[in-house]
Amino acid sequence: MQTVTLKVSYAPFVRSSDSIEKVMYNVAIALAPATVLSIYFFGWRALVLTILSVVSCIGFEWAVDKIRGREQTAALDGSAFVTGLLLALNVPSSLPYWMLIIGAFVAIVISKHLFGGLGYNIFNPALVARVFLLISFPVAMTNWPVPFGVDMETAASPLGVLKTDGVAAIQDISLWHMSFGQIGGSIGETSAIALVLGALWLLFNRYITLTIPLSFILTTFGFTGIFYLLDPLHYASPIFHVLTGGLLLGAFFMATDMVTSPIALRGQLLFGFGCGLLTAIIRLWGGYPEGVSFAILIMNALVPLIDSWDLSDKKQKAKEEAK
Amino acid sequence: MKTFKIGGIHPPENKLTEGNSIEVLPIPSELAIPLLQHLGKPAKPVVKAGQRVKKGELIGEADGFISANVHATTSGTIKAIKSHPHPGGQYAPTVFLESDGQDEWLDGCNTEPQDWQSFSKEDILNRIKAAGVVGMGGAGFPTNVKLAPPKDKVIDTVILNGAECEPFLTSDHRLMVEEPEGIIEGLKIITSLFSTPVKAYVGVEANKKDAIEALAKYASSYNFEVVQLETKYPQGAEKQLINSITGRKIQEGELPFDKGCIVNNVGTAFAVYEAVCKNKPLIERVVTVSGIEIQAKKNLKVIIGTMFSDIISACGNIPGTVNQVISGGPMMGKAQYSFEASIIKTSSGILFINNEGLDTSRERTCIRCGKCVEACPQELQPWLFTNLAQRREFDELPAYGLFNCTECGSCTYVCPSKREIVHWIKYSKAIVNNRKKRKSA
Ligand code: SF4
Ligand code: SF4
């Protein structure tokens, strides 16, 4: 009989075609509409920033993997790509290039690899970088170029206007502009329509579930809605809160980051609720006009706690069943 | 259509041999019949080298309560009794039998079908025991033991398992299509053993329409129900099957009879029928020979002890692209290290596959996607088991239901990080059990 070398491995011998790459690049695909539209609004500088952010994140990932003696292919597993993309979408299109590169460094080297790399990081790397930049370079990070503006003409974002000038000042921003995205803001956050389109792609392909985004958005909507109903002259409408700032980008693409959100359904509900509540509180009474990044990062920190709460319950159940 | 409520996956079905009628493999010249083909202790050999035996003659005697008889599967001469590669992965004591080509039955074996209605319950159980019938779906639990649950358990449901949810495998499917009468006769015999009124079911996945039809023909002559089950893995796992059909849930540490259920594979029911009515020991079974890579895909009726190498020569040589031979299905089977291993009572299939594309050697970090939790039919946290085991915190695992894991592999199938979750679970179970043993010693 012919000789065949037999390989012995463990069952199961069939595996689904899912992979880290597939998960990550699908998130990138889902972010494509928002990215393309932002380039349309904010011009070539948005495009350069996006490419620069992605390339530097992949570069840092490659370098760290080399230093840590890890597989070099990890740089192309899509996670650095997505972090780079999200970072770019979270900064104004006028941000100096060197600042963005610092952001990429903070995201990949500090927020991801100092915690152990993909799967071990507690905080969403892109958000850590964004908050780092916001605190270090507050002016550059809140200078919002206006859509179709010439020569980097800037203005405050709708949420900024609300914070400084009150409700009256935002009355004439049209619902259509807020939905389509023709307002000031970070590169990728302005178009609600494009973001929802991308989110539908992820939902349809089951890369994310509605649990976190829905509980997040509904909580912000409900909380800001209560105050709007009580005093519409002082508080903006909940629709305004949902459509402006980074709420949709955060709720669909960053709070849903698998690595930094709870695994179980109950934990996810609590996580989304916490994100929504903190966002609303910061927006209504905080020092910053926008609170999505802070809210998600604070909730990220609580994930181990939420998970262990969920698991202690499972442990209890297993114990009872064993009896 | 019925199904279990929690978890489950749907891998490509690949039932490549579902339309192939059962063929009989010619008797090979030499057989290696393991004395361990069941759960429990290996059988004690009762023959010596040089001795002549007839087909159906006892060669290994059940050693204790949980053990089973083993019989000569053709007539010939015993050559040796020695340790030999076993399809389960280890070496096991094995009886070598050289065929004399006569295939001559022992007197009184394999008779014309007799009417079993006149037999006493005890007689029936004794015949099943004598014939060495064990669960043919996988675990190989001695059937006479299973059919005699403790007196205080009230049995109200008897289920035959024809789900065959493993991809590729079609041996149960073909048996249901070709031998429905024997299977249903076996079901009748099994239900007759319980003094309480029982409801009888045969559960079959919806992708086996012809099997459902073949069985349903007998539903009018005898009161049982053919339940069409959603094609979903692991539909054929005992706990999931019971949940699908009765809605009951077997908790950790419970056995089916604790919830009033007895589950047997359809192949086992057929063996029960042959043992009781024809006095025929369990010496052959249907085996699916399949795999994307090979030309000759078949459902073969093979006598126990046939070595894999004989099946391969009967099916034509295997192409060089094959690098794994699996005994059983692709979800729960065992990769073989030797072509000398043989077909045993629980061998449902042999698969020839190429797993270059699988890339199982590179386990990556858990990205906490939760897919494994979603897939687990036992409501467990597979990712947590793996992460704890890799940190060597084995003693933590039982508290999260480690021993409630049925090792179905659904979690491992879906994991995008290609983590070897079931492997870590099996490893942890072994370590925890060893520590327990050492402590009590
Ligand atoms: S192998 Fe165990 S942990 Fe994994 S899905 Fe099956 S029952 Fe759940
Ligand atoms: S499927 Fe794999 S990567 Fe996802 S949570 Fe489970 S173990 Fe982790």
Side-chain angles (χ1 to χ4, degrees), chain A residues 162-230:
Chain A
L162 175 66
K163 183 112 272 172
T164 45
D165 303 335
V167 177
I170 56 160
Q171 293 307 342
D172 50 343
I173 303 175
S174 84
L175 194 63
W176 163 247
H177 279 178
M178 285 192 284
S179 314
F180 187 51
Q182 205 171 326
I183 47 175
S186 296
I187 293 178
E189 72 182 21
T190 63
S191 174
I193 292 176
L195 289 168
V196 169
L197 206 67
L200 284 177
W201 172 264
L202 292 184
L203 286 166
F204 185 72
N205 288 302
R206 301 179 31 107
Y207 288 106
I208 61 171
T209 60
L210 265 180
T211 320
I212 292 175
L214 214 59
S215 52
F216 190 162
I217 294 167
L218 286 182
T219 306
T220 304
F221 184 88
F223 200 73
T224 54
I226 292 172
F227 285 90
Y228 175 69
L229 284 181
L230 289 177

Side-chain angles (χ1 to χ4, degrees), chain B residues 66-216:
Chain B
I66 313 273
S67 183
N69 287 343
V70 175
H71 303 82
T73 55
T74 187
S75 58
T77 315
I78 304 292
K79 283 281 143 193
I81 301 171
K82 60 179 191 215
S83 201
H84 186 74
H86 187 274
Q90 73 279 42
Y91 271 69
T94 302
V95 176
F96 283 82
L97 172 62
E98 191 181 61
S99 162
D100 60 8
Q102 308 293 318
D103 204 28
E104 186 189 344
W105 276 99
L106 187 71
D107 287 338
C109 271
N110 197 27
T111 58
E112 282 303 305
Q114 288 167 283
D115 181 21
W116 56 271
Q117 313 272 6
S118 58
F119 299 160
S120 72
K121 281 179 197 173
E122 207 173 21
D123 201 11
I124 291 176
L125 284 174
N126 279 338
R127 279 171 184 252
I128 294 171
K129 182 177 180 199
V133 180
V134 302
M136 291 166 79
F141 192 78
T143 303
N144 61 303
V145 180
K146 195 177 204 175
L147 294 182
K151 290 276 173 293
D152 58 326
K153 309 287 174 193
V154 181
I155 302 301
D156 63 3
T157 307
V158 168
I159 298 173
L160 287 194
N161 186 352
E164 203 164 48
C165 56
E166 278 265 12
F168 289 99
L169 301 186
T170 57
S171 50
D172 287 347
H173 182 174
R174 288 315 303 180
L175 194 71
M176 288 187 280
V177 171
E178 297 181 32
E179 301 282 0
E181 199 171 354
I183 293 171
I184 298 307
E185 209 56 34
L187 175 62
K188 285 187 204 171
I189 297 172
I190 292 168
T191 46
S192 78
L193 293 170
F194 304 99
S195 38
T196 44
V198 292
K199 183 102 185 69
Y201 301 92
V202 188
V204 187
E205 272 190 346
N207 61 357
K208 298 179 247 304
K209 290 273 184 290
D210 48 350
I212 293 172
E213 266 165 41
L215 292 168

Side-chain angles (χ1 to χ4, degrees), chain B residues 372 375-378 380 382 385 404-411 421-422 425:
Chain B
C372 53
C376 178
Q378 291 290 90
L380 302 171
F385 290 148
N404 207 5
C405 164
T406 56
E407 303 177 6
C408 71
S410 302
C411 48
I421 306 175
V422 211
I425 289 175

Side-chain angles (χ1 to χ4, degrees), chain B residues 9-57:
Chain B
I9 56 172
H10 192 179
E13 293 168 31
N14 273 322
K15 303 281 193 183
L16 308 173
T17 48
E18 62 184 351
N20 301 16
S21 306
I22 299 171
E23 293 172 43
V24 178
L25 185 80
I27 308 269
S29 56
E30 193 185 30
L31 296 152
I33 309 172
L35 289 164
L36 179 65
Q37 304 188 33
H38 45 263
L39 213 69
K41 269 192 175 169
K44 266 192 311 225
V46 293
V47 288
K48 295 227 154 46
Q51 186 178 336
R52 223 190 92 77
V53 290
K54 284 188 180 164
K55 185 170 182 156
E57 199 171 325

